[in-house]
Structure formats: structure tokens, C-alpha cells
Amino acid sequence: MPILTLREYIVAGMQVQVGCMGGCGHRHKIDFQKLMDIYGPDMDAVEALRAGTRCRHCGAGTMFVTYPYTG
Ligand SMILES: [Zn+2]
């Protein structure tokens, strides 16, 4: 699977949801624009997702990508 950068995700209009692994069941959509502000446009999107997502509900550090889809 090719590496996709944050910019490529945004250009492609990709949307990704993450789910909390802390057990609260919280889910939210990824704001790629915000990740790009933090990591820059050439960051590997998957790495940015791993590093830059945290559950806003219970604060658990590990979120995972549940399903990417094109909107
Ligand atoms: Zn949570």
C-alpha cells in the first residue's frame, strides 16, 4: 500500500473515523486540516493519525482508524 501524505488525503477528499480503544466507544471524524497544521502536508497520514489522535471523551491515548471512505 502506498504511503499517502496528509495533503493527498485532503486533496482526495478522504474522510476517516477513529474509534476509542479506551473502552468508552467514542468515535469522531479526523480533521486532516488540523493534523496538517501540526505535522505539515508531507507527513504520512497514517503516522499522523497514530500520533496525533486522542480520545476527547475519556482521554485514552490510543485511537484507531475504523474505516476510511471517500465522501
Ligand atoms: Zn474514549
Side-chain angles (χ1 to χ4, degrees):
M1 202 173 152
I3 291 174
L4 292 173
T5 64
L6 290 171
R7 179 172 44 212
E8 287 170 315
Y9 263 59
I10 291 170
V11 168
M14 286 285 284
Q15 293 184 308
V16 175
Q17 260 196 353
V18 294
C20 176
M21 289 183 77
C24 80
H26 182 72
R27 291 183 183 192
H28 71 94
K29 254 193 218 173
I30 289 293
D31 184 348
F32 282 111
Q33 198 66 51
K34 197 171 153 191
L35 287 178
M36 196 165 78
D37 287 345
I38 298 169
Y39 297 105
D42 294 325
M43 176 73 171
D44 178 345
V46 175
E47 287 302 315
L49 286 169
R50 286 202 188 115
T53 55
R54 181 176 292 270
C55 181
R56 286 179 290 199
H57 187 71
C58 74
T62 44
M63 307 279 289
F64 63 95
V65 179
T66 47
Y67 39 89
Y69 58 96
T70 51

